[in-house]
Amino acid sequence: MKNTKMGRRAMLAGAGVLLATPRLALAAWPERPLRILVAFPPGSSTDVVARALAQKFTENTGHAAVVENRAGAGGNLGTQAVKASSDGHTLLMHSTAFCVNPSLYRNAGYTLEDFATIAVVATAPNALFVHPSIPATSLAELIAHIRANPGIGYAHSGTGTTPHLGAELLFRTLARVEATPVAFGPAQAATAVVGNQAPIGSTSLPPALPLIREGRVRAIAVAGAERDPNLPDVPTVAEQGYPGFAATTWFGMFAPARMPAEALRLLLAEVPKAMAAPDLKARLAALSLTDPGLSGEAAASFVRREATTWAEVIRTSGATAD
């Protein structure tokens, strides 16, 4: 009888070890702070989302997540750095340009297959706005002004971003006017319009929103499918004579394709959980950022579709970064 009881205890103990093994393996990662490389400068929408997400991830899991900015070459430098990482603790936060650049550059230094998509964590409409000296309050008036001043410069968020490609599609292909794109970082593009370095701006809405509210720039149009709740009186591009036009910017988190499977499992669970937190949602909504609720394969499929869509825009517009 004694041996039977001891045998049962041994069996139960063995079963407990087996059941605990996956949990222990998962708990062993991360072994050190996560590094989230942002492909754009501080103050960009990508940076804002990354820092908010890193803070919530740390609160939820107890594992530190630190954000580093690795800007340059339209986001390619940061992307290449994450692709080359082998520590299993380095992630990439990027914008729509992630799926655009392999078509826009002769050699972006990566392909979509080099990464695993964790989540598309936020989207924002793009916006067109002008320096107060520009005599335009509508898109029709802005197009007329550009036609009367061919080659006038417009500041955009960076080569290959949807504020750049969307503006090229609108100006050159649809309206058939000539405006000269001038690349800045997203936040820098907005302040360049304030300083009249370039009198027209095309960025995602978040960096322009406070400047619009302060009256330092004038909003002409938002490029989302619907008006933005933060600017209900500003019509969309589609409402102003270009039906069906929509250009938004999304922000995603990616990992190197060789990221350990247990790490990906944890990230696929914890990143959406962090984004779903009511306080984080409210914080981002105030900046016109919305969580689309896409993670894992659903997010990867979305990214692939976006790559196809923007590759066609690049082909038809003739846009290039080389």
Side-chain angles (χ1 to χ4, degrees), residues 5 16 38 61 68 82 91 112 174 177 193 226 254 270 308 321:
K5 289 181 178 178
V38 175
T61 67
E68 298 178 20
V82 176
L91 304 173
L112 300 190
L174 300 178
V177 293
V193 178
E226 300 176 348
F254 304 90
E270 293 297 338
T308 299

Side-chain angles (χ1 to χ4, degrees), residues 20 79 159 171 216 229 252 272 294:
T79 309
T159 301
F171 294 151
R216 300 172 72 188
L294 294 173

Side-chain angles (χ1 to χ4, degrees), residues 84 202 221:
S202 177

Side-chain angles (χ1 to χ4, degrees), residues 237-322:
V237 172
E239 288 179 280
Q240 298 187 69
Y242 299 91
F245 185 95
T248 60
T249 299
W250 53 259
F251 310 95
M253 177 172 280
F254 304 90
R258 61 177 175 272
M259 177 73 79
E262 64 270 21
L264 285 176
R265 282 195 292 271
L266 184 146
L267 290 165
L268 286 170
E270 293 297 338
V271 170
K273 179 181 174 183
M275 292 305 302
D279 59 334
L280 182 54
K281 278 183 173 291
R283 178 179 172 186
L284 296 181
L287 297 172
S288 295
L289 289 159
T290 304
D291 173 18
L294 294 173
S295 62
E297 182 51 37
S301 295
F302 172 82
V303 170
R304 290 192 293 268
R305 291 194 302 272
E306 284 282 279
T308 299
T309 297
W310 288 107
E312 180 62 17
V313 171
I314 291 166
R315 187 189 68 79
T316 57
S317 69
T320 180
D322 298 309

Side-chain angles (χ1 to χ4, degrees), residues 208-234:
L209 186 59
L211 303 176
I212 293 169
R213 285 171 168 163
E214 293 165 9
R216 300 172 72 188
V217 299
R218 183 187 309 119
I220 297 295
V222 292
E226 300 176 348
R227 296 192 185 198
D228 189 84
N230 288 302
L231 296 172
D233 296 329
V234 178

Side-chain angles (χ1 to χ4, degrees), residues 110-128:
Y110 69 95
T111 67
L112 300 190
E113 289 70 30
D114 292 324
F115 291 86
T117 301
I118 297 168
V120 175
V121 296
T123 63
N126 294 341
L128 283 171

